[in-house]
Amino acid sequence: MTDTTLNPAAVAPAKVVRRDIGLKRRYAAERRFKIYGITAIAIGLFFLVALLYSVISNGYTAFWQTEVSLSVKLDEKVIDPTNKRATDPTVLLTANYPILVRNALAEKLGVSLDDKPAIRELSKLVSDGSRSQLRELVSGNPALIGTTQNLWVLTGGDIDSAFKGQIDLSVDQANRKVSDRQVAWMNTLAKEGAMAQRFNSGLFTFGASSRPETSGLGVALIGSLYMMLIVLCLSLPIGVAASIYLEEYAKKSRLTDIIEVNINNLAAVPSIVFGLLGLAVFINFFGLPRSASLVGGLVLTLMTLPTIIIATRAALRAVPPSIRSAALGIGASKTQMVFHHVLPLAAPGILTGTIIGLAHALGETAPLLLIGMVAFVANYPVTPLDPSTALPVQIYMWANEAERAFVERTSGAIIVLLLFLAVMNIGAIILRRRFERRW
Amino acid sequence: MNLMTERSLEKAVNDKMSAQVNTIKMQGKDVTVHYGEKQALFGVSLDVPEKMVTALIGPSGCGKSTFLRSLNRMNDTIEGCKIGGKITLDDEDIYNPKIDVVELRARVGMVFQKPNPFPKSIFENVAYGPRIHGLAKNRHELEEIVEKSLRRASLFDEVKDRLHEAGTGLSGGQQQRLCIARAIAVSPEVILMDEPCSALDPIATAKVEELIDELRQNYTIVIVTHSMQQAARVSQRTAMFHLGNLVEVGDTEMMFTNPTEKRTQDYITGRFG
């Protein structure tokens, strides 16, 4: 080697020939890979946008509900004709409130009470839900009887859809749910400002109902809240304890290998199987009530446990061994090492895994169908043992309804569910960013 | 350079004087260590004299770290690790089932190769050991222990204004001295150091070496090192390991000037390793 370089003949040619080291090919490969990546992201984004667009464009109207403003005369002759309300409390509960609303509407539109067909069509303008609205008002304050109250009353579901322009009015009136006369009244009221869209608080407070305008997510929200609390309170401590034992204390053996494989398998078990398990064990064997959020919570706990265990073990394993050695080296016991050093460092990872597990559980539907949470529940569940539904199940039930107003409610409920999921996932990201430590 | 030789000369004189008075603090007898199927140590017998620095040298994988880690049973944490023979601390078998490993590690502290402060404040790093062992009755005593330990590790003046800032924010050399302060905060009798300077630059190394020399007055120190110069500078006794065996052990001065074994000479002069 040295001989040749020293040879003047070999040094003489000054022209340097650049070697071909395949730079062009390498850069082309890099560009190609970048294009693949961008395409993949673009496809993903396209479908996300398409999904969000279809849900939001269908669902945003569910957050507004058409109501009509009426001066309702709380006539004593109608509410309590025999004047027995002081002794018989059922009088106020069973009074014929819809008549009061109908009369108020007839008066407002100038329709004669003797025109029976017109009155029948007129009464369909307002929702039957006005009955419970007036009942609550009057039984809450019986002194109002005899006075005239200005109230916003819900319109019927079809009128609501027509007012939102969701019903094609060019079709012959025999083939649509809203008659020409009703449309005319609707327009009169709208012109006077007596009919308008107002924020639909009922969507969050009402329970199940066969009328779209009085059905809401109230029961489902409470049911989901109970279930999330049960899942959190059970799966977090159980999952973390199991992971700490497996990761820090258990000696590697055939048994721990089997447990490890089974935990991973459990995470992949279809959720409907957990539903069957819950049905067999919690309802048939332990005799817990059907449709109860307690059972739902227990089933979802079983489903969430493997996720939390896997996330926790990964977080524990990510704590550098040097920290463990440091703690043991100054005489910390194993438990002190775990609880003073390893667990605090693993906490962000554990919390992130837990939140993602909870978000997963929040959206889970199939196991809840099997334990009877797909039920018509009109009253709020007071305890987790009372019948209730859950957000995704409510979506499933509404999706089966035919009325146009239920279609928008289905999408509205999806928006609510997605918002919850987004909040939880963003929370997980913030936690991770905030508490993540770098070494 | 001149300064260095002067210092080591002075040290050599000291060493000769101390070598005769010191008693045996720790003793290994026919220590064997297996990691699963693989045997890492083949019957090592080594005495660690009190209040002296004993250096363990030898090429990579020769078993010096393994021996060091068996002195405070850190090897227990490695799965499949089996230890044979006998290791004593003040004539007490440390592998006796009656000996509590937590208490042992409070008596035999350890400093690791890579500085590994807890991701907590400087104060908390040093205070953790005294706190779990209940060495301080109140906050005031704890603060005293922390200050004393940081002073002994010659770190106090550099960090006194930021005791409550993260220990991980210090420079590498400061972190390692923090780890030494953390180890001496629990008042151990023996400090084991596993290549404490291998991750440090020469200036930080010089500071840590100076510190080791000072600590020798109060503590028995065993140090594993890859650097011959470091062994020569800081230790009074040197043990040479090779392939899981103890090749030779003796006063550092003698080992470096007149080794009896050819392998030691070859290693020290850089012919292998």
Side-chain angles (χ1 to χ4, degrees), chain A residues 322, chain B residues 111-117 171-177 179 182 196 199-200:
Chain A
S322 66
Chain B
V111 175
F112 297 85
Q113 185 169 359
K114 235 180 84 188
N116 55 353
S171 74
Q174 288 173 326
Q175 285 191 17
Q176 194 60 299
R177 277 181 283 149
C179 292
R182 182 176 66 188
L200 306 182

Side-chain angles (χ1 to χ4, degrees), chain B residues 27 50 92 95 108-109 136 156 163 168 177 228:
Chain B
Q27 189 174 41
E50 193 169 29
E92 226 179 332
Y95 282 91
V108 183
F156 187 73
L163 283 179
T168 42
R177 277 181 283 149
M228 293 308 108

Side-chain angles (χ1 to χ4, degrees), chain A residues 248-250 328 332-339, chain B residues 76-77 102 105:
Chain A
E248 306 287 339
Y249 290 91
L328 292 177
S333 69
K334 200 154 200 176
T335 309
Q336 285 172 328
M337 170 194 91
V338 170
F339 285 93
Chain B
D76 290 17
T77 59
V102 168
R105 290 190 190 133

Side-chain angles (χ1 to χ4, degrees), chain B residues 86-141:
Chain B
K86 192 177 173 189
I87 299 175
T88 58
L89 170 64
D90 290 339
D91 294 325
E92 226 179 332
D93 186 355
I94 63 168
Y95 282 91
N96 187 328
K98 278 183 207 151
I99 289 283
D100 192 298
V101 65
V102 168
E103 197 208 334
L104 172 73
R105 290 190 190 133
R107 291 174 67 190
V108 183
M110 189 153 190
V111 175
F112 297 85
Q113 185 169 359
K114 235 180 84 188
N116 55 353
F118 298 129
K120 299 181 177 189
S121 72
I122 295 170
F123 182 88
E124 285 301 316
N125 261 284
V126 185
Y128 180 69
R131 195 176 278 154
I132 57 169
H133 296 307
L135 299 183
K137 282 190 204 72
N138 50 46
R139 177 85 189 174
H140 181 69
E141 270 187 40

